[in-house]
Amino acid sequence: MAANKDLEQQYGQAMEEHGFLPDPENRRYGSMGLCWRHTSQQGGGFFWTYGQQDLYTIKIHDFFFHEDQLLEFHWPESLSVTWYESISGEEFSPCRRLVPGCVKSFIGGREPYRALIHRQIPIVSIGVEITPAYYRDYLRRQFPQEYQSLLESFQTLDQTEHFPEMVQLLKQVRDYRGEGLPARLFYDGKVAEAVALVAERHLKRKNRRSVSAEDMVRLADVAAFITAHCADELPLERLSRIGCMSISKLKDAFHVRYGCTITQYIQGQRTEQAGRLLRETDLPVSQVAAIVGYQNPSRFAEIFRRNTGRSPAEYRRACWSSFTEVNDMERKDSL
C-alpha cells in the first residue's frame, strides 16, 4: 500500500534510532497501518500508525521505559489531538504534569518539544495528527464559503481532563479492525469527526464568559493547592478562600480554565498518585486507596477505571507484566 510506504519512509529512521524495529506481522491494532516493536534494553512495547497520503496520521503508542526518559524532538508543522489512557511524566515550556485520562492538543512546527517520561508506567495513547495540506488546502477546497483557521481551536483545547466525546471517538479508532476500502473510509471519517469536535468545543468556549488575568493567577493557586493536598478533604469553602472568589464563581471559572470540574480535577490528581503507588510498590489496593484519599476501595476502583481504562489490579498487572516480558526478552537475547 502506497500510504504505508510513505509512513515507512517518514518514521522508519526515527523509529530505529529510538530502538523500534518493524513488526509487519503484528495485528494488535489492525492490519491497515504499520507497527514497530520496541526492542532496546531501555523498555518495551509497540508503536502503530496509519496515514492517508499527506493529509493525516493516526498514532497509537503502547510502550514503557525501564528508567525515566527525557525526550526532546522537533515536531513538524501540524495540529494534533491525543488521548492519554495511561502516562506519568512532565512536559516543559511550560512545565506541567502529564496525567492519565487527559486529552491534549499539540501545535507542531514550533520550538522543540521536551518531556520527562516516568519509568515503568505504560505510555498508552491514541492520537490524530493533521497536516497543513489538510487544514489549509483540503478543508479550504471542500468548504470555501465556511473555511476558518483551526489553529486557534487546537490552541484553546491545550490540555483537559474533560472531553468525553473525544475520548469515545479515539477509543473507537483504537478498537477498529477493518480492512480495505471500509477501513480507509472509517479512518477518514474519524479524522474529520475529531477535527469537528475540536472546532465545536472552541466555538462553545468562545461563547462563555472569559476569565480575567487576575483570576487566572488565583485559579493557578487553587490548582497547585489541590495537587499538593489531593488526598485530603478539600471543601469548596476552603478553595474559594484560596482563590479569593465566591464558590459559584470559582466553579464556573475553574471549568472554563481547566476544562473540567473541580471534583474531576481532584480525581485526576488522585489517580496519578495512585498509579505511581501501584507501579512502584506492592501495597494492597485498599491501602493505596486510603493513601490517595478514598476510604471506600470500590469507589476508588470505579474512579481509577474511569480515568485509566483499567481497574487498579489490571493496571498493576499490566505494569509488572510489561516489565517481566522485556526482562525475559533481554535474558533470551543474552544467551
Side-chain angles (χ1 to χ4, degrees):
M1 183 184 297
N4 281 350
K5 290 182 179 179
D6 292 341
L7 289 173
E8 199 165 5
Q9 292 177 353
Q10 181 178 356
Y11 291 103
Q13 182 177 350
M15 288 291 100
E16 186 173 353
E17 290 175 353
H18 289 83
F20 287 82
L21 294 179
D23 192 3
E25 301 304 318
N26 196 308
R27 296 293 184 265
R28 64 191 294 123
Y29 293 115
S31 61
M32 290 295 290
L34 293 178
C35 188
W36 282 269
R37 185 185 189 91
H38 198 299
T39 58
S40 78
Q41 296 183 353
Q42 295 178 332
F46 304 91
F47 171 79
W48 180 92
T49 183
Y50 170 83
Q52 191 58 259
Q53 299 177 357
D54 62 344
L55 297 178
Y56 68 81
T57 306
I58 297 169
K59 302 176 182 178
I60 297 179
H61 299 82
D62 187 359
F63 54 85
F64 69 96
F65 299 112
H66 287 311
E67 302 296 337
D68 288 0
Q69 295 288 319
L70 181 61
L71 304 180
E72 180 173 347
F73 50 88
H74 290 271
W75 211 298
E77 185 178 1
S78 59
L79 303 175
S80 67
V81 57
T82 299
W83 170 56
Y84 285 96
E85 182 178 2
S86 171
I87 195 169
S88 179
E90 294 84 28
E91 64 178 5
F92 307 104
S93 301
C95 182
R96 60 183 171 184
R97 288 198 286 178
L98 293 168
V99 297
C102 75
V103 174
K104 278 187 60 62
S105 63
F106 291 94
I107 313 298
R110 298 181 173 179
E111 61 185 27
Y113 178 78
R114 299 174 66 246
L116 177 67
I117 304 300
H118 296 169
R119 64 186 179 90
Q120 297 302 356
I121 192 164
I123 305 167
V124 182
S125 68
I126 304 95
V128 169
E129 180 179 296
I130 57 174
T131 68
Y134 187 98
Y135 58 82
R136 288 181 187 161
D137 303 333
Y138 173 72
L139 290 182
R140 193 189 300 272
R141 290 196 305 270
Q142 293 295 314
F143 310 103
Q145 305 301 323
E146 303 174 71
Y147 174 79
Q148 57 180 315
S149 173
L150 292 172
L151 178 60
E152 185 179 356
S153 298
F154 278 80
Q155 286 176 322
T156 304
L157 172 59
D158 193 27
Q159 177 171 317
T160 178
E161 295 175 41
H162 186 67
F163 200 168
E165 303 89 346
M166 184 64 71
V167 173
Q168 181 180 8
L169 183 150
L170 293 175
K171 283 183 178 180
Q172 292 171 351
V173 172
R174 176 197 63 189
D175 297 337
Y176 183 72
R177 296 294 183 272
E179 298 181 359
L181 178 61
R184 289 194 288 273
L185 293 173
F186 173 86
Y187 290 127
D188 286 354
K190 290 303 174 183
V191 170
E193 188 177 349
V195 173
L197 285 176
V198 174
E200 181 182 41
R201 188 176 188 275
H202 174 57
L203 289 176
K204 288 180 178 179
R205 287 174 65 89
K206 286 180 67 174
N207 293 331
R208 296 177 182 170
R209 179 174 53 83
S210 61
V211 178
S212 69
E214 183 180 13
D215 284 344
M216 291 284 279
V217 174
R218 291 171 174 171
L219 289 171
D221 289 338
V222 172
F225 185 85
I226 290 173
T227 299
H229 301 277
C230 64
D232 301 332
E233 290 292 331
L234 294 170
L236 287 174
E237 291 80 3
R238 182 186 305 171
L239 297 179
S240 68
R241 289 197 298 271
I242 294 171
C244 301
M245 58 185 76
S246 68
I247 291 177
S248 61
K249 179 179 179 180
L250 172 64
K251 291 167 67 175
D252 291 343
F254 195 95
H255 197 284
V256 171
R257 171 61 183 87
Y258 292 100
C260 63
T261 67
I262 293 174
T263 297
Q264 290 164 340
Y265 192 87
I266 293 171
Q267 291 173 349
Q269 299 302 309
R270 289 178 171 180
T271 297
E272 182 180 6
Q273 184 178 350
R276 179 180 59 80
L277 292 171
L278 291 167
R279 182 179 80 248
E280 299 180 357
T281 75
D282 58 359
L283 293 172
V285 171
S286 59
Q287 190 171 345
V288 171
I291 290 173
V292 301
Y294 294 102
Q295 300 307 312
N296 185 337
S298 297
R299 176 60 175 164
F300 163 67
E302 175 189 349
I303 292 171
F304 192 89
R305 179 184 287 277
R306 184 189 306 158
N307 285 333
T308 68
R310 295 185 175 102
S311 71
E314 291 169 343
Y315 182 88
R316 171 173 274 168
R317 283 197 298 269
C319 294
W320 289 9
S321 64
S322 297
F323 178 76
T324 302
E325 177 185 347
V326 172
N327 278 345
D328 290 343
M329 291 174 60
E330 290 174 355
R331 283 195 294 269
K332 290 178 182 179
D333 291 342
S334 64
L335 295 176

